[in-house]
């Protein structure tokens, strides 16, 4: 019972943060977005935004494996990385961030058997972007 309440509280908290991040992003408040994303990542994942973005693919996979995040935390992480990458720019940083989003989506599907229409839509947008801009 307590574990379920804790998980629900965590999901609600991360959902509110993602909603605030979406609001900041759509209002064009990049500094506020970065500040909230950074503090959320530090508090929830023990890594600053810049550190997360700089991780190599292998380093990112190792981090996910070592930390063993819940499905909800993984989903929130993918949403945050996706939001941070929008609008997609053709550069190595965006490509790396989007590859990390795909890794999280794969982990959610394979380990937790979780899919959502939203994540499938985002995956399709990422693939379309990559197919149009990278070989």
């Amino acid at each position: 019972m307590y574990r379920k309440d804790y998980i629900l509280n965590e999901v609600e908290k991360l959902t509110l943060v993602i909603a605030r991040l979406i609001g900041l992003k759509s209002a064009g408040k990049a500094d506020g977005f970065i500040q909230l994303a950074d503090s959320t990542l530090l508090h929830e994942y023990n890594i600053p935004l810049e550190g997360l973005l700089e991780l190599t693919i292998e380093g990112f996979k190792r981090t996910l494996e070592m930390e063993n995040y819940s499905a909800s935390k993984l989903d929130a992480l993918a949403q945050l990385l996706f939001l941070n990458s929008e609008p997609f720019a053709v550069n190595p940083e965006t490509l790396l961030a989007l590859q990390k989003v795909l890794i999280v989506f794969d982990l959610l599907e394979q380990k937790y058997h979780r899919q959502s229409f939203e994540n499938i839509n985002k995956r399709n947008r990422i693939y379309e972007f990559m197919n149009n801009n990278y070989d």
Side-chain angles (χ1 to χ4, degrees):
M1 178 75 161
Y2 293 114
R3 174 89 171 133
K4 185 177 178 182
D5 289 342
Y6 174 76
I7 292 171
L8 287 174
N9 286 341
E10 289 296 307
V11 169
E12 288 175 6
K13 180 172 55 172
L14 289 172
T15 301
L16 289 173
V17 169
I18 296 297
R20 286 179 48 208
L21 287 167
I22 291 169
L24 290 168
K25 189 81 170 193
S26 60
K29 298 181 178 179
D31 290 341
F33 176 90
I34 291 170
Q35 204 170 32
L36 180 57
D38 198 46
S39 68
T40 301
L41 286 167
L42 276 171
H43 184 260
E44 297 294 329
Y45 303 91
N46 298 318
I47 188 167
L49 179 59
E50 187 174 323
L52 179 65
L53 294 174
E54 290 176 353
L55 283 174
T56 63
I57 293 298
E58 288 308 312
F60 183 70
K61 286 179 180 178
R62 274 193 308 276
T63 299
L64 294 180
E65 189 176 299
M66 285 181 357
E67 296 296 332
N68 196 28
Y69 297 121
S70 68
S72 298
K73 275 197 165 186
L74 285 172
D75 192 49
L77 181 62
Q79 303 312 316
L80 194 148
L81 283 168
F82 187 87
L83 277 171
N84 186 65
S85 300
E86 286 187 311
F88 300 162
V90 180
N91 61 45
E93 294 82 15
T94 300
L95 179 61
L96 184 60
L98 293 176
Q99 288 171 328
K100 291 172 185 173
V101 172
L102 293 174
I103 289 167
V104 174
F105 287 166
D106 288 345
L107 188 58
L108 285 168
E109 291 171 9
Q110 294 166 8
K111 184 176 180 181
Y112 296 100
H113 308 288
R114 273 184 65 166
Q115 283 187 329
S116 70
F117 289 119
E118 180 182 4
N119 288 354
I120 292 169
N121 182 41
K122 287 179 179 174
R123 180 188 292 273
N124 289 338
R125 286 183 54 205
I126 292 169
Y127 285 148
E128 182 179 337
F129 171 77
M130 289 177 168
N131 286 337
N132 290 337
N133 296 289
Y134 299 95
D135 291 331

